[in-house]
Each structure stands twice: as C-alpha cells, then as structure tokens.
Amino acid sequence: MSSSAWLTGVEALATLAFALSGLIEAARKRLDAVGVCVVAGLAAFGGGTLRDVLLDRRPFFWVEHAHWLWALLALCVLAMLSLRARHLALTERAVQWPDALGLGLFTAGGTELALAQGLPAIVAVLMGVITAVFGGVLRDIVCNEIPRAFHDHRPYAVCSFAGAWVVVGAQVLAAPQWLGLLLGAGLATLLRALALWRDWQLPAWRVD
Amino acid sequence: MSSSAWLTGVEALATLAFALSGLIEAARKRLDAVGVCVVAGLAAFGGGTLRDVLLDRRPFFWVEHAHWLWALLALCVLAMLSLRARHLALTERAVQWPDALGLGLFTAGGTELALAQGLPAIVAVLMGVITAVFGGVLRDIVCNEIPRAFHDHRPYAVCSFAGAWVVVGAQVLAAPQWLGLLLGAGLATLLRALALWRDWQLPAWRVD
Amino acid sequence: MSSSAWLTGVEALATLAFALSGLIEAARKRLDAVGVCVVAGLAAFGGGTLRDVLLDRRPFFWVEHAHWLWALLALCVLAMLSLRARHLALTERAVQWPDALGLGLFTAGGTELALAQGLPAIVAVLMGVITAVFGGVLRDIVCNEIPRAFHDHRPYAVCSFAGAWVVVGAQVLAAPQWLGLLLGAGLATLLRALALWRDWQLPAWRVD
C-alpha cells in the first residue's frame, strides 16, 4: 500500500469520526432525517469549508470530491437504519480515538494551507484550529447548544493550537514540509489522546 | 401580461411568504423592531446569500435589486403597526401556500445557478436546497431554536431535494432550460403542498 | 500627538470595549479558556469580518494587523487571571461608553467602505450596521442567547443606522470624506450615549 493510499485511508477514518459525532448529536436532539444529514455534514465538512470561505479558496473539498457527499448520505441512511439508543454512548466512546486523529490531521492541513498563502504565523495557527474545531462548533450551534469545544473544560482546541505551532515552527526552521505536517498532526493527536486518557481539565476561570 | 412580469410577481409573492415566516417567528420571540427586520430579512434573503457566498458569486440579489430592502423595511413597519396576536396563526396558515411556491422557485433557481458553474450534480442539488431552506434555518438559529426544517419531521427540504434532481435530470437529458426549471419548481411545490394537505411525516429515527 | 495616532488610540479603545463585552458574556456562561478567547474575538472582530466576507474584501483586519490577535490573547489571559464575579457588573457598566464610541466608529468605517465599492445607499448603510452590530450578534449566538441587539428594546442598531445615513448623506452632498465620517460616527455615538443616559426604549410590538 502506498503512503498516499494510507493517507487517504486515515483521512477517511477521521472524517467518518467527525460525521459520526454529528450523527450522535442529531440523534440526541431527535432531529429528523434531514437534520441528521445536515448536522453530520456540518460536523464533517464545516470546519474546512469555513476556513476556505475565510481564505477565499475554491473549490471546497466536497465540491472537488463530490463522491464524499454521497458517502455521507449513505452513512446517514445506514446509521438511521441500524443505530439504536444503546449504541450511542458506545459509538461516542469508540469515535473519540479517530476523532483525535482528525483533530491532528485537519489542524496540520489547515495550518499548512494558510502558510502557503503567506499568512502570518498566528493567522495560520488560527486557520488550523478553525479547520479542526469549527465543524463541531457549527454542529453544536445548529443543535442549539453552547459549543462543547468552548464549554466542557477538556483540552481540544488547545491540542490543535499546540500542533499548529509545530507546523509553523517546522516551516520557520526550513524543515521538510512532510516532517512539519507529521509532527504537528502527531502532537495534536497525542495531546488529545493523553487528555482523554488522563482526564485532563482546562483551568477554570474562577469567576466567583 | 408578459411571462417575465408573471415570474417577477410569483417571485415577489414567494419572497413575501419567506419574509412573513420571519416576521411571525420574531413576533413569537418578542423581538424588538431591529430584530423583526433582521429576522424577516434573513428568512427572505438568507438562503440565496449563503449560496452566493459558497459559490463566490457577487453581487447578491439584494445588492443588485436594493429596492427589495426598502420593500422589506416597509413590510416590517406595516406588519408591526397592523399585525396582532390573533392574526399570527392565521397569517402562518395563509403563508404556507406561497411558501411552498417559494420552496419550488428558489430550489430550481439555485440548482440552475450551480449547474451553470459546471458543479457536480450532487453539489448543484445541495445548492438548490440551501437556497430554498437555509433562510429559514438562519431565522431559527438567530431566534435560538433548533431549525424547524431539521426537527419537525415534516417534508420540506426533502421536497426541495426531489425538485432539484428534476432540474439536474433535465440538463442531463438536454431538455430546454425553462422546462427543467418549470418541472423542478413544480415538483417541489407540489410535493410540499401534498405534504401539507395530507399531513405527511418523515420517518422518525427510532433511536430508543 | 498626530490625528492618526489619536484615531488608532480611539479604535483600540473601541475594539477593547467590544472584546470585553465578549469576555463578560463568556464569563457569565462559564465558558472555558478556549471559549473565552473565541467569544471575545468574535465580539471584537466578527462584525468587520462578516462585512468583508459579504463584500468579498481581503485581507481581513486581523490578518493585515495580526498583532491584534496577540493583543486579544493577552487581554483574555489577563482578564481570566484578574477579573472576578464582583468586577463583571462594574466592567459592563464602564464598557458602555467606549462601546458607544465603537458603535460610531465601526458604523462610519463600514459604511464608507461599502460606498467606496459603489454600492447603493441602503446596502452601504446595512454594511455599516453589520460592521458595528454583528460582532455582538455572533457573540450571543455562540453563547446560545437570542442576540441582545434584537431583543432588549434599547436603541443600538438604530443609532448605528442613523449614523450610517449621515455618512451616505455627506457623500451625496459632496462633503469632504473626513467630515462625513466624523459626523456619522459622532451622531451614532451621541444617540447611543443619550439612549443609555435617558434610558430610551424602542417601541414594542404590541402583539397581544
């Protein structure tokens, strides 16, 4: 298997994890079939799409690779036929690990794209974080919840932030691009996995 | 009366229906005058504007035809002066039929625009659905509700989806453009009208 | 001190006020550190960014002046270390006056930008209002509230609306640009300050 086929496989797995997070949220909120598809789609593709709107890039990923929209539709139909309440918590736990992978991959990819446009380091980092995190943010806004990434005091965007700086740092040090992407994605994924495993908490704002 | 004048009339009627759906929601939520105008405007123009942002098209409809913004403002002032609580339910019921018309028209128009840019079929369909449905979605998000189109288990986006495929099919079969638009808009409107009349329900996800 | 240094100072003060309004809302909702930064950033830069997306302008303010992102980050860290519950109400009251200044400045700037693109008067006014008001709207949507600007019956967007028309009027009368900006910003700020001082209310829609 070539490295590019590997990468596509990992990317598909990560996107699947993001889409499933949308499916689970939609099921919890008892959305109808339309809502399920939209929320799953927002969770999977919303972050990258928002980044592309901000960077004024076209075509979007899901326009260039429109078969992913078909795959998403098939996933939603399949899930609605087979997933039951007792599967939701299980799926949510199983999805955490590929989701951490997605966090890393999308962070590194988004940061790299912004660097390639010559944007300042802090903006590139922000774009990496938006790519990885804002699909989930849009999912929660549509489901009428305060976005989990802003509220649950568990490191998520922070892991993405750290990984994005590694990608920026690699470019500053003139390291090969693949190395920066690998280290950045790796660090974000590792930090998230550690945060899940050790149950890390963000320091709370002791406002009262 | 020429066919173009007819079309403008139908379009104005449909936009009016969309704007009124925003007005009613704003009244229910007891928004102030500013909120009423914004929510009515989002309901009327939000779907097409979101589509244009995604397709990177300018100028927006309401920039090219800025007098529609004046008309919207006048409508909101008029409604706030004359509409009372006892009128709301009545207006909502009366608005259902021109709203179905708008669903068909905006679906067909949005799909056609995306096809003209050479986008894949499934993306063109998605753009048609976004044009017709996401004005209402933005209206509900601003009013802090889960969007009705994702939640109420009544066919709405699904009718738009079906109509959009007719527009795509007509292009594949090299039928004249006006025929595809007419059939697509007609099917979406007809399905929505039938859904209202026969009280169709989307299959629920029996998650428990 | 040159007039340009003055202007930068006033603009920084106004942006600070907008960011603090986001900080306070985030604290009320007990968001974590990530949420605090995002909501403060949306409140400060969201309105101008939305306007630039609609007008298809790049680079954004925070891309061209990326050090403002660092300043925002520093502000959030500082606030989380020092602000306590008993400071929130006080800060909110203190922030009202620079916020009124921001309302005026951002209205005038946004309107002027749209006029420079040759957009119709009503569209330019709308862009001015979006610049000044939609940062707060995005802040409230992410915090899962109906936007205060649409709901609290206190003149805010209306002051911005009035000021924007002054900028448009000055252009129509071929007055010097700086005069239109000054009068427009001044009127919006003055009206808002009067509204706060005299506790003006928007007329309610007596819907029942």
Side-chain angles (χ1 to χ4, degrees), chain B residues 83-163:
Chain B
L83 274 189
R84 293 293 164 267
R86 65 181 182 281
H87 303 131
L88 287 187
L90 192 73
T91 309
E92 191 161 41
R93 239 168 321 134
V95 146
Q96 285 184 336
W97 309 104
D99 182 273
L101 215 59
L103 188 73
L105 279 176
F106 293 136
T107 297
T111 309
E112 185 62 38
L113 277 175
L115 285 176
Q117 284 201 1
L119 296 176
I122 179 90
V123 175
V125 167
L126 187 60
M127 289 300 154
V129 174
I130 286 176
T131 309
V133 176
F134 270 66
V137 168
L138 292 174
R139 171 199 68 204
D140 294 345
I141 288 177
V142 166
C143 287
N144 205 15
E145 296 281 346
I146 295 182
R148 211 179 302 160
F150 302 160
H151 194 57
D152 72 352
H153 290 83
R154 312 195 61 179
Y156 190 78
V158 164
C159 309
S160 163
F161 190 76

Side-chain angles (χ1 to χ4, degrees), chain A residues 53-54 56 119-120 122-123 126-127 141 144-147 149-153 157-158 165 202 205-208, chain C residues 23 27 29-32 34-36 38 56 58 60 62-63 66 69-70 79-80 83-85 88 142-144:
Chain A
V53 167
L54 293 174
D56 211 7
L119 296 176
I122 180 89
V123 175
L126 187 61
M127 289 299 154
I141 289 176
N144 206 15
E145 296 282 347
I146 295 181
F150 302 160
H151 193 56
D152 72 353
H153 290 83
V158 164
W165 279 110
L202 288 181
W205 184 357
R206 305 236 165 275
V207 85
D208 45 13
Chain C
L23 268 166
K29 291 285 183 171
R30 309 188 167 278
L31 300 191
D32 57 30
V34 172
V36 168
V38 172
D56 211 7
R58 299 289 185 290
F60 297 128
W62 45 270
V63 171
L69 292 177
W70 285 110
M80 292 184 72
L83 275 188
R84 293 292 163 266
L88 286 187
V142 166
C143 288
N144 206 15

Side-chain angles (χ1 to χ4, degrees), chain B residues 30-32 58 83 85 144, chain C residues 53-54 144 150 153 205 207-208:
Chain B
R30 309 186 168 281
L31 300 191
D32 57 30
R58 299 290 185 291
L83 274 189
N144 205 15
Chain C
V53 167
L54 293 174
N144 206 15
F150 302 161
H153 290 83
W205 185 356
V207 84
D208 45 15

Side-chain angles (χ1 to χ4, degrees), chain C residues 18-182:
Chain C
F18 278 36
L20 280 172
S21 82
L23 268 166
I24 293 167
E25 186 71 18
R28 291 239 162 84
K29 291 285 183 171
R30 309 188 167 278
L31 300 191
D32 57 30
V34 172
V36 168
C37 294
V38 172
V39 171
L42 275 177
F45 303 125
T49 303
L50 179 57
R51 175 206 63 211
D52 284 352
V53 167
L54 293 174
L55 295 184
D56 211 7
R57 290 180 76 242
R58 299 289 185 290
F60 297 128
F61 175 80
W62 45 270
V63 171
E64 207 173 349
H65 307 281
H67 56 273
W68 284 69
L69 292 177
W70 285 110
L72 182 83
L73 215 57
L75 175 74
C76 291
V77 170
L78 215 72
M80 292 184 72
L81 291 177
S82 64
L83 275 188
R84 293 292 163 266
R86 64 181 182 282
H87 304 130
L88 286 187
L90 192 73
T91 310
E92 192 162 40
R93 237 165 327 132
V95 146
Q96 285 184 336
W97 309 103
D99 183 273
L101 215 58
L103 187 73
L105 279 176
F106 294 137
T107 297
T111 308
E112 184 61 39
L113 277 174
L115 285 175
Q117 284 201 3
L119 296 176
I122 178 92
V123 175
V125 167
L126 186 61
M127 289 301 152
V129 175
I130 286 176
T131 309
V133 176
F134 269 67
V137 169
L138 292 173
R139 171 199 68 202
D140 294 344
I141 289 177
V142 166
C143 288
N144 206 15
E145 296 282 346
I146 295 183
R148 210 180 302 160
F150 302 161
H151 194 55
D152 72 353
H153 290 83
R154 313 194 60 179
Y156 190 77
V158 165
C159 308
S160 163
F161 190 77
W165 279 111
V166 170
V167 178
V168 169
Q171 206 213 32
V172 170
L173 299 174
Q177 196 192 55
W178 66 267
L179 187 66
L181 290 175
L182 187 71

